[in-house]
Amino acid sequence: MSDIENIDDFPVDQPKSAPADRAANGPLDESEANPVRPYVDLGGVKVLPREGLHLRLEVEEGSKRVVAVGLDYANSTLQVQPFAAPRSSGLWHEIRDQIAEQIARQGGTTTVREGSFGPELLAQIPVTTADGQAGQMRLARFIGVDGPRWFLRGVIAGEAATNPAAAAKVEDLFRSIVVVRGDTPMPPRDLIPLRMPAPSSGGPGA
């Protein structure tokens, strides 16, 4: 998966890309979320537990920094990353183009289509086997939502990449995520810090 922290600076006058009902139905900003719901607090995001959901934190080897949250649900995986963004403009239109370019350089293909959250990328990504040989293509959906001062990216793989019933469940999961931007000044496109959940916040599984 690409890391948008490495992407060159983009113009900051891009329009936001988000569902018209985002503020009501998610993904939510912390200020919009119900404070009494039993969220698992992962720092930059909060996840609402549900039956069958298993949570994984993806850690960068060198720095040991948590760089993404992996959610296994409905025979699918959803990887989410929250990034700082400008208050009045969005990041998804530029980032989507950059992801498509990166996948093309890997020998994959992408198609832009309209999804539940607005424009998304349907990607065929080459998979290299353990012995270094080129294997099959892996199908993935790249989704993104521009919120207030943040951008949330999701990568969907497994059944939800092609099966409408599984897709609806994983899209509902993405909708339920709460982004915690915080008040600390951050450059646009910086990853909002993620962390292990506190013991009182619940375990990694649901």
Side-chain angles (χ1 to χ4, degrees), residues 68-90:
V69 175
L71 302 169
D72 298 328
Y73 184 61
N75 294 317
S76 309
T77 60
L78 169 65
Q79 181 206 62
V80 296
Q81 292 178 296
F83 296 90
R87 186 180 302 274
S88 60
S89 58

Side-chain angles (χ1 to χ4, degrees), residues 25-28 37 39-40 42 45-56 69-80 116-117 141 143 145 152-157 160 165-179 204 206:
N25 294 320
L28 298 174
R37 301 192 80 179
Y39 288 105
V40 178
L42 302 170
V45 297
K46 293 180 179 180
V47 177
L48 192 64
R50 59 182 67 195
E51 185 177 356
L53 173 64
H54 296 277
L55 183 154
R56 296 171 289 102
V69 175
L71 302 169
D72 298 328
Y73 184 61
N75 294 317
S76 309
T77 60
L78 169 65
Q79 181 206 62
V80 296
S116 300
F117 303 97
R141 293 169 56 197
I143 57 178
V145 170
L152 183 66
R153 190 184 73 170
V155 185
I156 299 171
K169 292 180 180 180
V170 173
E171 289 167 7
D172 182 68
L173 175 62
F174 189 70
R175 284 265 195 182
S176 74
I177 291 171
V178 175
V179 179

Side-chain angles (χ1 to χ4, degrees), residues 107-169:
T109 60
T110 56
T111 303
V112 179
R113 68 179 187 181
E114 194 69 17
S116 300
F117 303 97
E120 66 175 57
L121 280 180
L122 183 63
Q124 294 269 6
I125 305 171
V127 177
T128 302
T129 59
D131 58 2
Q133 298 298 313
Q136 298 180 347
M137 290 284 191
R138 182 171 64 88
L139 192 65
R141 293 169 56 197
F142 289 79
I143 57 178
V145 170
D146 289 306
R149 298 176 61 238
W150 51 258
F151 165 70
L152 183 66
R153 190 184 73 170
V155 185
I156 299 171
E159 286 190 11
T162 56
N163 180 285
K169 292 180 180 180

